[in-house]
Amino acid sequence: ANCSGRRCCWKEETDAVGRRVLCVIGWCPPLTRFGKVYWCESVRLKRRLESCWVGVEVGIVMAFCGSVSVVGEVVGTADRAAKCDVGGWRRDAGRIHRGLCTKHVLMSASSASGSSSSTTVSKDAPKEGTKKGPRFDDHEYVDEAPETLVRSSDSEKESSMRVKFEAMIRKAQDSICAAIEELDGEAKFEQDTWTREGGGGGISRVLRDGAVFEKAGVNVSVVYGTMPPEAVKAASERGVARDAGFKEGEPVPFFACGVSSVMHPRNPMAPTVHFNYRYFETDGGVWWFGGGTDLTPSYVFEDDVKHFHGTYKTVCDKHDEQFFPKFKAWCDRYFYIPHRGERRGLGGIFFDDLNDRDADTLFAFSTEACNAFVDAYVPIVKRRKDMEYTQDQKDWQQLRRGRYVEFNLVYDRGTVFGLKTGGRIESILMSLPLTARWQYNHTPEEGSWEHRTLELMKNPIDWV
């Protein structure tokens, strides 16, 4: 009742000991951020509440706790709340504990009855300063990828963009990995699959020490988390209000789903490539698409770069003739390394914060751009993978990989965002090459092939 939010209803039941239980189903910002659910130890109801914001009130224990409750406060005696095992806990007046919690509070029988008043700090209570929200190490490996990584409450809505985008990127992961394995002819992708208790997870596939590729990876991830304040601030500086529906400084819960890939060939004549396509939603109702594909050659072959850019211009022009010039220029700006005064590579397309038309139209564009990768990249590698090269040329490739590492670790928004939101480290750093090189004060000889390539990275041109 009195819920002005969307997709929300209250369900009332009776727990095992006869107490009333209210469960918030769906999402209702006006109520679920501040409302209460009276809950007990019922295992049956715990399962039902996994996708809800859950308030627990037993005696003096009060908590907002659950898979999306990273802004919730835990207040209570130690033995009643210490099992809520993620958060910045502290001791207050010898008995009150407060913290941020992302897992269910597990009550003891005595706590459930409200009879306990122990003030002993449990050994399970996190220490002060523990990271809030999802952690880099809180994933659980599974033998096989589940049919979907989105929460059950989301997957029941087949028409939702969360479900459609995950299905698209998982299909893309399969087709791209198959094409790269065929091109390499020797190595196969290894797969790691993991899930998180609060929903989401990922599928990482990495190929190593192949005939053509030293390292290649294609990752799919589904994330339920809280956007760090600096990410909200950075978006605001770009003119994007990602904290709509929330107070200033308030944590912003979000959903993100994406596919990301980097390929590092052995031969320095074959270019490195990167792509990423993603969809975001905040619990405040804001959504957007982002992504792009860019080429990073060590040695420029004009026909290769024209083919690559031309492939994405064709895709863009089918949807909007302004897309390619806009996204090409955006790519050149985004992959700039300020402390070097050069770009990471020779560009492609890049876009972010895209929500200027209906979601299905932008989903269609993202799908086609993602699926264009094989046609844009594989023919180039086929032409270059068996070319002869010298040790000096291999060393230059290693130096260019060093620039790749510098950009990714210092400037790349996706890398920084993943590190600050508790992402899986191995998946985030999958983009880094197996080997790289830093040589003191190296400058290519003027007029050399290396010099011409570097000049194009300093001064981008229009290839098509």
Side-chain angles (χ1 to χ4, degrees):
N2 301 321
C3 177
S4 59
R6 51 188 177 148
R7 304 194 301 279
C8 174
C9 67
W10 289 87
K11 187 170 184 178
E12 182 172 324
E13 295 192 13
T14 302
D15 66 22
V17 295
R19 287 181 296 189
R20 187 175 64 171
V21 175
L22 297 176
C23 176
V24 182
I25 307 297
W27 182 241
C28 171
L31 286 181
T32 55
R33 267 190 279 164
F34 308 107
K36 298 178 182 178
V37 176
Y38 294 87
W39 184 47
C40 77
E41 269 289 284
S42 168
V43 174
R44 176 174 62 87
L45 288 167
K46 278 182 186 177
R47 295 195 184 102
R48 293 194 180 185
L49 295 172
E50 284 178 356
S51 297
C52 303
W53 277 38
V54 182
V56 181
E57 188 167 350
V58 179
I60 64 166
V61 177
M62 177 63 191
F64 286 99
C65 183
S67 54
V68 293
S69 61
V70 290
V71 301
E73 186 177 64
V74 177
V75 180
T77 56
D79 67 326
R80 297 181 184 180
K83 288 292 185 65
C84 190
D85 56 1
V86 177
W89 292 75
R90 68 175 183 269
R91 212 169 163 169
D92 182 5
R95 66 185 189 90
I96 302 298
H97 291 250
R98 300 174 185 269
L100 298 183
C101 173
T102 60
K103 297 185 179 180
H104 292 290
V105 173
L106 304 177
M107 302 293 178
S108 66
S110 60
S111 296
S113 64
S115 62
S116 174
S117 60
S118 170
T119 61
T120 303
V121 179
S122 166
K123 66 180 180 180
D124 295 326
K127 298 178 181 179
E128 185 172 358
T130 302
K131 178 179 174 64
K132 303 175 180 67
R135 289 178 51 87
F136 70 92
D137 58 355
D138 67 355
H139 52 274
E140 179 180 347
Y141 289 104
V142 294
D143 294 333
E144 294 185 10
E147 184 177 343
T148 180
L149 292 166
V150 302
R151 290 174 180 160
S152 58
S153 56
D154 293 335
S155 62
E156 292 170 0
K157 308 165 188 174
E158 294 182 2
S159 62
S160 78
M161 188 55 66
R162 298 182 179 195
V163 174
K164 291 195 294 185
F165 203 89
E166 187 212 9
M168 182 275 283
I169 61 177
R170 288 182 66 166
K171 184 177 179 181
Q173 184 185 43
D174 289 342
S175 62
I176 291 168
C177 287
I180 295 302
E181 284 184 348
E182 181 180 359
L183 177 60
D184 190 89
E186 184 175 298
K188 300 293 183 181
F189 282 91
E190 302 172 16
Q191 177 171 301
D192 282 333
T193 305
W194 72 97
T195 60
R196 278 188 160 133
E197 181 181 353
I203 304 169
S204 286
R205 295 181 185 171
V206 176
L207 179 152
R208 292 176 290 183
D209 298 321
V212 175
F213 293 96
E214 283 187 12
K215 184 180 178 184
V218 187
N219 290 345
V220 160
S221 61
V222 174
V223 181
Y224 293 85
T226 301
M227 198 170 296
E230 54 265 42
V232 176
K233 182 176 182 292
S236 299
E237 291 171 351
R238 300 197 303 272
V240 182
R242 290 184 176 171
D243 56 351
F246 295 88
K247 296 178 181 178
E248 184 177 355
E250 187 177 6
V252 179
F254 73 90
F255 165 89
C257 181
V259 59
S260 181
S261 176
V262 176
M263 313 274 179
H264 294 289
R266 290 187 177 278
N267 196 312
M269 302 302 158
T272 288
V273 73
H274 157 263
F275 72 83
N276 174 281
Y277 292 91
R278 56 196 179 272
Y279 172 72
F280 273 76
E281 282 183 17
T282 74
D283 288 350
V286 179
W287 59 265
W288 68 95
F289 293 83
T293 310
D294 61 285
L295 195 69
T296 304
S298 299
Y299 289 92
V300 61
F301 290 89
E302 290 191 9
D303 289 345
D304 293 351
V305 187
K306 288 179 179 179
H307 165 79
F308 186 84
H309 281 247
T311 300
Y312 285 99
K313 183 178 188 300
T314 299
V315 171
C316 289
D317 287 353
K318 287 177 62 177
H319 295 267
D320 189 325
E321 291 186 354
Q322 296 302 311
F323 273 1
F324 183 77
K326 178 181 179 180
F327 297 162
K328 190 270 182 189
W330 201 341
C331 189
D332 290 337
R333 293 194 305 271
Y334 179 77
F335 290 106
Y336 181 67
I337 308 173
H339 66 266
R340 297 288 189 180
E342 62 196 53
R343 276 84 191 158
R344 187 176 76 176
L346 295 181
I349 61 170
F350 177 88
F351 59 94
D352 202 0
D353 311 317
L354 201 61
N355 61 0
D356 62 346
R357 54 204 78 188
D358 70 87
D360 285 331
T361 297
L362 296 174
F363 172 66
F365 166 67
S366 296
T367 300
E368 192 161 354
C370 182
N371 292 338
F373 170 77
V374 172
D375 290 340
Y377 181 62
V378 168
I380 296 173
V381 179
K382 283 183 177 179
R383 287 197 294 267
R384 309 302 172 195
K385 65 184 179 67
D386 297 318
M387 291 182 66
E388 294 184 358
Y389 59 88
T390 67
Q391 183 58 48
D392 285 344
Q393 289 170 330
K394 184 66 177 178
D395 289 344
W396 173 251
Q397 179 198 45
Q398 297 290 83
L399 287 169
R400 294 312 307 170
R401 286 180 177 178
R403 299 293 200 268
Y404 205 94
V405 171
E406 290 175 26
F407 176 84
N408 280 29
L409 293 183
V410 178
Y411 301 110
D412 183 63
R413 290 207 299 261
T415 300
V416 174
F417 186 86
L419 294 174
K420 289 184 178 295
T421 55
R424 180 177 180 263
I425 299 301
E426 289 301 319
S427 298
I428 296 170
L429 301 184
M430 174 274 295
S431 64
L432 302 183
L434 196 62
T435 58
R437 178 186 179 96
W438 283 265
Q439 184 172 326
Y440 180 74
N441 200 27
H442 181 275
T443 304
E445 182 180 350
E446 189 169 351
S448 65
W449 197 353
E450 294 84 357
H451 183 265
R452 293 198 305 274
T453 302
L454 183 57
E455 284 301 305
L456 289 168
M457 294 175 179
K458 291 181 176 180
N459 302 291
I461 65 173
D462 292 329
W463 294 96
V464 293

